[in-house]
Amino acid sequence: MHRWIHRLTVAAAAVAVLGMSAASGCGDPPPEGADPTTHPQYVVQAYVSRLNKGDREGAAELMTDIGRRNGASPLDTGRIEGFGLTAPRPIPNHHNGRTVFKAVTERITFTRVGETNLTLNNGPAQWDFIIVQEHEGDPWLIDDQGTG
């Protein structure tokens, strides 16, 4: 009986550690040279990286047509530091007036520094993204943001 309780305790501790690491990190980065649109987390990581480099056009390539039409992101100004990313959570696949193949939401937490705007001030912040696959086999792209 004692050995069985010990195994349960070790298993529970392992699950707790895995859960904390999944919620607090920014996920595994995409492999070198990988297409960032193959996974929702990779899309968000690449989007933030491109904005931090001042590559707004490159960031826009990671958005759906509807996402681009929604206008510039308040994340475009300033710099995102201390970036953390939650695991993608499935949401209903009807978004922005259409049905898509798959949709997920992801929340990033970060510290914003530099130029401010009306939506985001400097300091700790969080920002939600909706990432979709419009059709089966399509790339994952950002469809909406600032939804948190």
Side-chain angles (χ1 to χ4, degrees):
M1 179 76 155
H2 175 67
R3 187 178 301 162
W4 186 75
I5 291 173
H6 175 73
R7 286 182 184 161
L8 279 177
T9 303
V10 169
V15 167
V17 167
L18 288 173
M20 286 188 299
S21 66
S24 64
C26 60
D28 292 329
E32 188 67 34
D35 178 356
T37 65
T38 59
H39 191 280
Q41 285 186 323
Y42 295 171
V43 171
V44 174
Q45 289 169 329
Y47 180 80
V48 169
S49 175
R50 291 175 187 187
L51 287 180
N52 275 344
K53 293 175 184 173
D55 183 8
R56 291 185 174 125
E57 287 181 22
E61 291 172 359
L62 300 172
M63 302 177 79
T64 63
D65 290 340
I66 290 174
R68 284 190 293 273
R69 280 196 303 266
N70 284 338
S73 168
L75 299 178
D76 285 355
T77 59
R79 181 162 178 78
I80 296 170
E81 296 180 352
F83 171 61
L85 178 66
T86 63
R89 294 182 324 256
I91 59 173
N93 66 340
H94 186 77
H95 192 259
N96 273 334
R98 71 198 191 291
T99 300
V100 296
F101 178 65
K102 289 184 183 176
V104 299
T105 184
E106 290 187 60
R107 173 168 288 170
I108 64 170
T109 56
F110 58 96
T111 300
R112 191 160 182 287
V113 296
E115 185 181 340
T116 61
N117 57 48
L118 295 174
T119 305
L120 289 171
N121 293 317
N122 286 333
Q126 62 186 24
W127 198 253
D128 288 355
F129 290 89
I130 294 176
I131 303 101
V132 301
Q133 264 188 319
E134 292 184 294
H135 303 97
E136 186 173 5
D138 279 359
W140 286 98
L141 297 171
I142 296 169
D143 200 51
D144 205 352
Q145 59 179 301
T147 57

